[in-house]
Amino acid sequence: MRHIISILMENESGALSRVAGLFSARGYNIESLTVAPTEDPTLSRLTLVTRGSDQVIEQITKQLNKLVDVVKLLDLTEHRHIEREMMLIKLKVQDADQRAEVMRMAEIFRGHIIDVSAATYVVELTGDSDKLDAFVESMSHFEVIEVVRSGVMGIARGDVALKL
Amino acid sequence: MELTGAEIFVRCLQEENVDTLFGYPGGSVLHIYDALYRQDKVEHILVRHEQAAVHAAEGYAKSTNRPGVVLVTSGPGATNAVTGIADAYMDSVPLVVFSGQVPTSLIGNDAFQEVDTVGITRPCVKHNFLVKDVKDLATTIKKAFYVATTGRPGPVVVDIPKDITADKCEFQYPRSIKMRSYNPTVKGHPGQIRRAVDLILSARQPVIYSGGGVILSNASRSLTELTRLLNYPITNTLMGLGAYPSSDKQFIGMLGMHGTYEANMAMHHADVLIAIGARFDDRVTGNIEKFCPNARIVHVDVDPASISKNVKVDVPIVGQVDSVLKAMIKEIKAGERRPDPEPLENWWKQIDEWRSMDCLKYDRDSELIKPQYVLETLHRLTQGDAFVTSDVGQHQMWTAQFYGFDKPNRWINSGGLGTMGFGLPAAIGTQLAHRDETVVCVTGEASIQMCIQELSTALQYHLPIKVVALNNRYMGMVRQWQEFFYQGRYAMSYMDALPDFVQLAEAYGHVGMRIESPGDVEGALKEALDMKDRLVFMDFITDQSENVYPMIPAGAGQNEMILL
């Protein structure tokens, strides 16, 4: 099953490679990984998406907790939660019809066109991973020049929180 | 007063009561060596290779339960230490390894003797640090000792760039340390302890399976008390030998690949398994699908990640072994309930039947020296009271089977990583920690050559180690597997062009003996053990064809042993 694990860790060089190294050393897979400092500059929040049986996920969370730089973690998929991912997608648009269609689709998906050139549009889109996949799918008859995705981040609903 | 980083380093070791430091100098640690030169509280032991420094520190740590401390230079100093660090990681040995690093201004420039030590050691340390400011040095060292010795112990590496050791700041050693990201559990959950005791007392065919965690947690006494209180059979892992007296009638031997028939059969037929400070290693479980098919399992371990890693358990208890065992004993003693004597009696009858197979038998009338006989004789002459280190292979298994450890911290071997070359340097560290005790290194002619240069260290520090080399002219365990599983194609396992070990020992300034007939074994051992102030290298020419029995072949179940 797919799990989103959010980790608070010491904002120190090497902390990220400890997490990444753990996954490669123990043969776990990482689908996506995103990391940035939090409002407390001594802490980083890392969110990763992984897949595995319950037993594998249990080991992953235990092994992560064992890393000395990991302060606290939360498996968001065990709680009601919101997940978001951001995508920037650059499309070739060659005529007015194509421009109109991209604008219309972007609007349907609640995206924005954030860059325009003579032959390209860049669309910014936020949502869960399925929604981004669906947008890429719906653009299949366009020439997609490049796609960049942030990786998944998430937050629990209600009172549940990952904080110290 | 302001001190240099190098002086701070030395003061920190003194604050941690480090009496022995194993190391080898080099460019980036010269300031530190200069500071060591100007003090006399920390004794520095100069090894001949950095790998040996780490193994020696492991021997020191395993035989004392105090952290072993190592100092190596940058680059090759650090990479040579990696095998030892990985070894300590696998066996949960508390170590603090300091490595020099090129000056901060040169890091990343491919400078002379530069290597990314923190990166290279990351997967085989409990934690590691790169010190970037002299102001952080004392706190980092405090953290390193704290992390290495608490929770599940392990090696911690502290990488110190050369300029940091010259920089100055005020020295103050922190009294205590708190880390928000590191809080090992000590006490077991009371509810889980009650559930465990309920299950334990309901057992009809119980086995206590205890490992190295008992020794690391100084829990040997509590383990013995609990085992006797219950009158249950107990087996020890390779790492756990000595935690329960092997001469006791409740001890059913080591378990696992080369464990006793009775231990493995008892495991296979157990209805309740009480795992204490053991980690269900593949050499213990054999085929996991066939492991303890009928048992409900209690597992006590300080490391939550060890629980349900290989085998799903029914009652997990995270906590320090000694603390949990004491709580269990208290819980049992407070209640009326005791194990049902009748099924237990039948269980013991069954175990005695398995015991009567005498699975460790060997040919006692052979005209060749049987390695088992050497170890039995060694046990008898030392009253089972020596500190015994070993290398890796057949001789290691025979020592585990035949030496018979009655006390903890006496059996010092490389269990997890299986590092040939471990034995001699480990004996050096052990002897340094126990100057007046008998320290024996049991080895083979192949293993000993992997760190034989340490004979020189042993001479320099007057360490009267007794080296028992079981010389069968083969990498014995490799040969055994080739005999069993490769139709006797002995690829590269024959040890050709061996040195004359007697002359070699003498060249290093020690006493050498060659023993070629069974009738001379006891006399030679006696003579060697009587030489209290000399290292004696005993080269026992043993039966080349001898194999370690019993054996569970890889992939087989515990009840599928090969017996002699």
Side-chain angles (χ1 to χ4, degrees):
Chain A
M1 216 183 94
R2 177 175 180 266
H3 286 252
I4 304 172
I5 300 173
S6 247
I7 303 166
L8 280 182
M9 59 188 197
E10 298 290 351
N11 186 11
E12 276 173 18
S13 65
L16 175 61
S17 55
R18 285 180 215 281
V19 173
L22 171 70
F23 275 72
S24 59
R26 294 196 181 263
Y28 309 139
N29 76 78
I30 300 182
E31 266 178 28
S32 80
L33 182 151
T34 171
V35 59
T38 63
E39 79 286 3
D40 172 352
T42 67
L43 283 175
S44 289
R45 181 157 171 157
L46 184 152
T47 309
L48 61 84
V49 178
T50 184
R51 272 175 205 279
S53 63
D54 287 353
Q55 204 200 337
V56 168
I57 298 296
E58 184 186 330
Q59 261 302 304
I60 289 176
T61 54
K62 283 174 168 177
Q63 293 291 348
L64 284 168
N65 265 315
K66 201 169 147 178
L67 293 176
V68 170
D69 280 339
V70 169
V71 184
K72 207 171 179 186
L73 66 80
L74 186 66
D75 183 348
L76 287 173
T77 19
E78 283 182 354
H79 304 272
R80 292 188 307 123
H81 67 279
I82 301 154
E83 76 169 87
R84 286 290 181 272
E85 190 177 357
M86 182 190 263
M87 175 170 72
L88 304 177
I89 177 168
K90 187 179 286 179
L91 299 155
K92 193 156 221 171
V93 281
Q94 279 154 331
D95 54 37
D97 283 354
Q98 286 191 337
R99 284 192 195 96
E101 188 181 349
V102 170
M103 282 172 72
R104 194 165 52 81
M105 291 303 287
E107 198 174 319
I108 291 170
F109 278 83
R110 303 196 197 294
H112 305 284
I113 292 164
I114 56 171
D115 184 64
V116 172
S117 78
T120 65
Y121 271 7
V122 174
V123 181
E124 173 198 310
L125 203 63
T126 306
D128 62 24
S129 303
D130 283 350
K131 175 181 158 183
L132 305 191
D133 292 342
F135 185 78
V136 175
E137 181 73 14
S138 72
M139 291 290 110
S140 57
H141 53 288
F142 284 85
E143 186 183 333
V144 176
I145 299 168
E146 60 176 321
V147 174
V148 51
R149 294 171 71 148
S150 64
V152 172
M153 57 174 204
I155 198 163
R157 289 183 186 273
D159 292 335
V160 178
L162 176 62
K163 67 192 292 270
L164 294 192
Chain B
M1 198 182 79
E2 290 205 325
L3 300 181
T4 66
E7 289 162 344
I8 290 173
F9 170 88
V10 170
R11 288 284 296 275
C12 290
L13 296 197
Q14 292 170 351
E15 293 282 345
E16 288 291 337
N17 297 313
V18 175
D19 52 18
T20 312
L21 172 64
F22 301 90
Y24 204 105
S28 58
V29 285
L30 281 174
H31 295 319
I32 293 180
Y33 271 85
D34 189 55
L36 283 167
Y37 188 82
R38 290 181 279 118
Q39 59 87 50
D40 56 8
K41 283 193 182 143
V42 181
E43 186 188 8
H44 180 277
I45 302 300
L46 178 69
V47 294
R48 302 298 184 263
H49 185 289
E50 288 88 349
Q51 181 188 345
V54 188
H55 292 327
E58 288 184 271
Y60 180 97
K62 285 186 181 204
S63 65
T64 59
N65 274 2
R66 297 177 54 206
V69 188
V70 177
L71 172 61
V72 297
T73 193
S74 64
T79 54
N80 278 345
V82 169
T83 299
I85 294 168
D87 190 273
Y89 185 60
M90 289 290 271
D91 286 348
S92 308
V93 186
L95 292 189
V96 180
V97 179
F98 295 97
S99 53
Q101 183 53 278
V102 301
T104 25
S105 58
L106 290 181
I107 289 179
N109 282 11
D110 300 324
F112 177 64
Q113 293 195 328
E114 179 185 0
V115 78
D116 175 10
T117 303
V118 165
I120 283 178
T121 59
R122 187 175 298 127
C124 59
V125 293
K126 186 170 171 188
H127 197 56
N128 58 17
F129 300 92
L130 171 65
V131 182
K132 291 181 194 150
D133 188 325
V134 69
K135 291 193 198 76
D136 300 333
L137 184 59
T139 315
T140 305
I141 293 175
K142 181 79 189 176
K143 279 185 188 170
F145 277 92
Y146 173 60
V147 171
T149 54
T150 51
R152 179 178 178 176
V156 175
V157 168
V158 183
D159 200 25
I160 311 176
K162 187 170 185 179
D163 53 323
I164 304 293
T165 61
D167 290 350
K168 286 183 167 181
C169 77
E170 285 290 331
F171 171 67
Q172 201 183 11
Y173 200 61
R175 287 227 173 140
S176 63
I177 204 94
K178 228 177 126 57
M179 294 167 72
R180 62 181 172 185
S181 60
Y182 177 74
N183 294 295
T185 312
V186 176
K187 284 205 161 83
H189 188 278
Q192 288 296 85
I193 289 171
R194 273 195 296 278
R195 281 183 57 206
V197 166
D198 268 355
L199 181 57
I200 291 168
L201 292 175
S202 71
R204 301 170 67 84
Q205 303 187 160
V207 175
I208 298 172
Y209 145 53
S210 86
V214 176
I215 292 169
L216 289 164
S217 174
N218 280 319
S220 185
R221 195 170 291 179
S222 304
L223 176 73
T224 307
E225 187 181 347
L226 178 73
T227 307
R228 291 197 174 139
L229 182 64
L230 294 165
N231 189 29
Y232 287 178
I234 178 166
T235 175
N236 287 164
T237 68
L238 178 69
M239 299 309 295
L241 292 173
Y244 188 86
S246 70
S247 54
D248 189 89
K249 62 181 187 333
Q250 279 173 255
F251 186 66
I252 56 172
M254 179 173 79
L255 81 167
M257 185 173 270
H258 294 296
T260 64
Y261 184 71
E262 50 271 31
N264 286 326
M265 290 302 274
M267 290 287 286
H268 186 77
H269 290 89
D271 71 339
V272 172
L273 181 62
I274 306 144
I276 304 169
R279 63 183 176 91
F280 298 85
D281 174 82
D282 57 277
R283 286 298 195 259
V284 159
T285 60
N287 187 338
I288 221 110
E289 307 291 322
K290 300 176 183 173
F291 177 74
C292 294
N294 311 313
R296 280 177 298 163
I297 303 175
V298 174
H299 188 189
V300 182
D301 206 295
V302 74
D303 177 9
S306 279
I307 287 173
S308 293
K309 182 174 74 178
N310 300 334
V311 171
K312 194 115 189 73
V313 304
D314 301 277
V315 186
I317 304 173
V318 178
Q320 225 163 50
V321 169
D322 196 47
S323 155
V324 174
L325 290 180
K326 284 195 167 107
M328 279 181 170
I329 292 165
K330 205 171 154 198
E331 181 77 22
I332 295 170
K333 283 184 170 167
E336 303 278 288
R337 199 172 159 203
R338 291 292 175 268
D340 191 348
E342 204 184 302
L344 192 56
E345 200 174 309
N346 291 334
W347 181 228
W348 272 116
K349 266 186 205 148
Q350 173 65 71
I351 287 171
D352 286 337
E353 214 167 285
W354 289 324
R355 255 184 190 159
S356 68
M357 295 279 296
D358 191 15
C359 68
L360 297 179
K361 62 178 174 277
Y362 64 90
D363 176 8
R364 288 170 193 273
D365 303 321
S366 171
E367 292 186 0
L368 299 170
I369 297 178
K370 289 288 182 181
Q372 299 95 324
Y373 171 66
V374 177
L375 295 163
E376 275 185 342
T377 310
L378 177 69
H379 170 92
R380 184 157 45 80
L381 295 178
T382 56
Q383 283 108 45
D385 210 26
F387 288 81
V388 181
T389 74
S390 89
D391 272 299
V392 171
Q394 286 185 320
H395 68 268
Q396 177 188 26
M397 293 300 117
W398 284 317
T399 313
Q401 292 174 334
F402 288 90
Y403 187 77
F405 293 90
D406 280 340
K407 293 179 188 167
N409 304 96
R410 302 266 156 158
W411 167 228
I412 290 134
N413 83 129
S414 166
L417 197 66
T419 310
M420 291 169 70
F422 174 87
L424 179 60
I428 287 174
T430 305
Q431 185 82 74
L432 281 159
H434 307 273
R435 285 278 189 175
D436 300 324
E437 303 275 352
T438 302
V439 177
V440 181
C441 166
V442 180
T443 183
E445 82 292 337
S447 280
I448 190 68
Q449 292 190 81
M450 285 212 188
C451 268
I452 198 154
Q453 75 285 347
E454 298 308 317
L455 285 174
S456 175
T457 309
L459 183 74
Q460 182 172 346
Y461 298 99
H462 314 291
L463 304 175
I465 295 159
K466 304 297 173 270
V467 179
V468 172
L470 301 173
N471 182 348
N472 61 357
R473 285 81 72 212
Y474 272 104
M475 294 163 210
M477 193 58 92
V478 174
R479 193 205 60 80
Q480 178 168 341
W481 281 59
Q482 288 169 334
E483 178 187 328
F484 287 6
F485 311 117
Y486 297 88
Q487 291 80 45
R489 292 186 297 278
Y490 298 121
M492 290 296 134
S493 55
Y494 182 67
M495 292 303 288
D496 214 339
L498 282 174
D500 179 329
F501 286 110
V502 173
Q503 283 188 34
L504 186 69
E506 286 168 356
Y508 272 107
H510 301 302
V511 179
M513 294 179 180
R514 180 176 296 108
I515 303 97
E516 289 173 299
S517 111
D520 297 334
V521 167
E522 179 163 347
L525 280 169
K526 264 189 188 153
E527 190 186 338
L529 289 165
D530 281 344
M531 280 188 247
K532 299 285 182 202
D533 55 349
R534 298 295 296 276
L535 184 149
V536 184
F537 191 115
M538 287 161 272
D539 187 19
F540 290 94
I541 308 302
T542 60
D543 183 353
Q544 291 189 286
S545 63
E546 190 58 300
N547 290 321
V548 181
Y549 293 106
M551 178 175 185
I552 302 174
Q558 291 174 306
N559 58 336
E560 299 168 316
M561 269 162 283
I562 305 174
L563 295 164
L564 178 62

